Amino acid sequence: MRKTTIMHMMCTLFIGLSIHTLQAQQTIPAKMLTIQGRAFPSAPNFHRLDTAKYNDLPPTVKKLYTHPTGLFTSFKSNTSKLAITWETIDAELGNNSTPIMSRGFDVYVKENDDWRFAGVARPDLHNAKSTYTLIDHMATSEKEFLLYFPLYKELLDFNLMIDDKASFEATTQFFDKKIIVYGSSIVHGASASRPGLAYPAKLSRKLKANVVNLGVSGNARMELSVADMLNTIENPDLIIMDCVPNSSPQQVAERTFEFVKRLRERHPHVPILLIESITRQIGNYNLQWKQRLADQNINFRKEYERLLAAGYKNLYYLPTDHLIGDDYEGTVDGTHPTDVGFERMVQIIQPKIEAIWNAKGGAH
């Protein structure tokens, strides 16, 4: 009898502690936060654009724009613990990416007007619904958090969980410049280890600019319907075309001129930066890939020069040289950059952007 009584008391205590733990937090639904980092504030859910408004976009491109790639939210709180529950459309994962990058989150904290990495949310590998503590045991001073969304999976919903008595204030980041990056899986974020390390996100933090990620993995082929969509974006300060990797050499030759021409119909003076394909290390010994890359970039350069000859201004060009380094260690699979590869790209692309903004026009 005594043993039964003790067990009963222990169970009661455990249940009480569990209830107390559940009660000792508050839930912040996503609707209380401001979704940032996208070109179209009216986009539904966590999509990058309202695909229903762009009927002419290729179906796969439309699907990829339901991914919350590059989106983020920010808020202030004095919580000691930050956790998150979320659901993605499914639990599938790519074979050259981390689960955190594809379906998870990472969070930064503002320190002296810069952002410092603080933690990640690791997704459940078998279920579309996940729960994870990004960081705990923090000091209870007020901090501002920056939370990046998954790069490669449609996000259905999420809730933040903070201390029961903690303060909470949704914040909005304000930027002087807006950059639109259209491109391939490399722009999309493959194969960063986590969302905040994709090169558009890194550029955003380093430049303190709103860098809108419009990467479409495997599908950046310069269709004019995409140019028309880009033309509906208001007041960009720079448009980056990093789309060569997905376009065949023939498509590069046939579409680059017309794509830029179409962009100029709506954005006649906005600087446009054309970036060659990175040197794919898969071509170190695969001669077919090596030739394809050479032809892609040769044709891209020819079209750039043809645009200049036709009188187009404010066009800039970045060759593949050194973009992911010269030691053959910058990619996961011979194509998609590692975090090291992305950092090397940023070290070259960032100064180019700063030079463009300091220039008075022309071509470089």
Side-chain angles (χ1 to χ4, degrees):
M1 177 69 69
R2 179 175 175 79
K3 183 177 181 181
T4 302
T5 302
I6 293 173
M7 289 296 295
H8 177 74
M9 291 175 62
M10 290 180 65
C11 288
T12 302
L13 178 62
F14 176 77
I15 292 171
L17 288 172
S18 297
I19 292 173
H20 176 76
T21 300
L22 289 173
Q23 290 176 340
Q25 63 182 16
Q26 56 179 307
T27 298
I28 309 296
K31 64 183 180 181
M32 291 181 61
L33 296 151
T34 302
I35 308 304
Q36 301 164 67
R38 57 187 172 193
F40 306 99
S42 61
N45 305 317
F46 307 103
H47 298 175
R48 286 180 281 173
L49 55 87
D50 186 350
T51 57
K53 292 183 178 180
Y54 302 96
N55 294 324
D56 294 335
L57 288 176
T60 303
V61 170
K62 295 177 73 170
K63 181 179 180 180
L64 290 168
Y65 281 140
T66 66
H67 297 176
T69 313
L71 303 191
F72 63 89
T73 192
S74 59
F75 54 94
K76 291 181 179 179
S77 178
N78 64 355
T79 187
S80 66
K81 178 179 179 179
L82 176 64
I84 186 169
T85 63
W86 75 102
E87 182 177 5
T88 52
I89 196 166
D90 57 51
E92 294 179 0
L93 296 170
N95 59 16
N96 64 350
S97 60
T98 71
I100 296 171
M101 177 277 278
S102 179
R103 293 182 48 229
F105 296 75
D106 60 355
V107 67
Y108 289 70
V109 173
K110 182 170 281 188
E111 294 280 356
N112 301 320
D113 204 34
D114 286 316
W115 295 102
R116 177 187 292 179
F117 169 70
V120 299
R122 304 183 187 189
D124 189 301
L125 297 182
H126 306 289
N127 300 298
K129 294 183 178 180
S130 303
T131 300
Y132 201 84
T133 298
L134 290 118
I135 184 170
D136 56 10
H137 301 294
M138 289 184 287
T140 54
S141 55
E142 185 181 70
K143 294 168 286 294
E144 186 168 17
F145 298 88
L146 176 70
L147 182 73
Y148 284 108
F149 295 0
L151 295 185
Y152 261 82
K153 193 67 62 175
E154 184 178 357
L155 177 65
L156 301 183
D157 200 8
F158 73 91
N159 294 303
L160 299 177
M161 291 172 290
I162 62 175
D163 297 345
D164 183 39
K165 302 299 183 181
S167 62
F168 179 84
E169 177 190 356
T171 62
T172 301
Q173 304 305 309
F174 296 98
F175 304 101
D176 294 330
K177 300 285 189 180
K178 179 164 67 177
I179 301 172
I180 308 302
V181 190
Y182 166 62
S184 68
S185 55
I186 295 170
V187 173
H188 204 131
S191 292
S193 60
R194 49 187 174 82
L197 293 181
Y199 93 72
K202 291 173 69 71
L203 281 174
S204 179
R205 295 194 301 276
K206 289 178 178 290
L207 292 168
K208 294 180 171 58
N210 182 19
V211 180
V212 177
N213 188 326
L214 290 177
V216 279
S217 181
N219 286 271
R221 300 191 179 98
M222 292 185 281
E223 298 92 345
L224 290 181
S225 59
V226 174
D228 291 337
M229 179 272 292
L230 295 175
N231 275 343
T232 63
I233 298 174
E234 298 291 336
N235 304 316
D237 295 287
L238 175 66
I239 298 172
I240 295 177
M241 291 174 55
D242 187 0
C243 45
V244 174
N246 290 159
S247 303
S248 69
Q250 183 177 357
Q251 288 173 331
V252 172
E254 293 174 349
R255 298 182 178 184
T256 303
F257 189 98
E258 292 301 320
F259 194 88
V260 173
K261 179 181 177 182
R262 185 67 63 90
L263 290 178
R264 279 288 179 249
E265 292 177 2
R266 179 66 186 272
H267 301 301
H269 306 298
V270 174
I272 299 175
L273 173 61
L274 292 79
I275 301 180
E276 288 185 354
S277 173
I278 64 168
T279 300
R280 298 192 187 208
Q281 295 162 349
I282 195 173
N284 288 345
Y285 297 99
N286 185 318
L287 299 182
Q288 184 176 2
W289 271 108
K290 184 176 183 178
Q291 188 61 54
R292 174 185 168 86
L293 171 71
D295 292 342
Q296 286 173 309
N297 286 340
I298 288 170
N299 289 351
F300 203 47
R301 181 80 193 197
K302 286 180 179 178
E303 293 307 299
Y304 166 69
E305 292 173 350
R306 189 158 77 95
L307 285 160
L308 297 182
Y312 287 91
K313 304 294 184 183
N314 272 345
L315 300 181
Y316 300 84
Y317 196 86
L318 194 59
T320 187
D321 303 347
H322 316 298
L323 265 179
I324 55 171
D326 304 306
D327 58 5
Y328 309 105
E329 301 292 347
T331 70
V332 164
D333 53 9
T335 293
H336 300 97
T338 61
D339 295 338
V340 171
F342 276 132
E343 176 59 25
R344 291 169 176 174
M345 291 181 70
V346 168
Q347 288 176 3
I348 292 177
I349 296 172
Q350 179 184 349
K352 185 69 174 181
I353 293 173
E354 292 170 337
I356 290 171
W357 284 341
N358 291 329
K360 296 182 179 180
H364 301 275

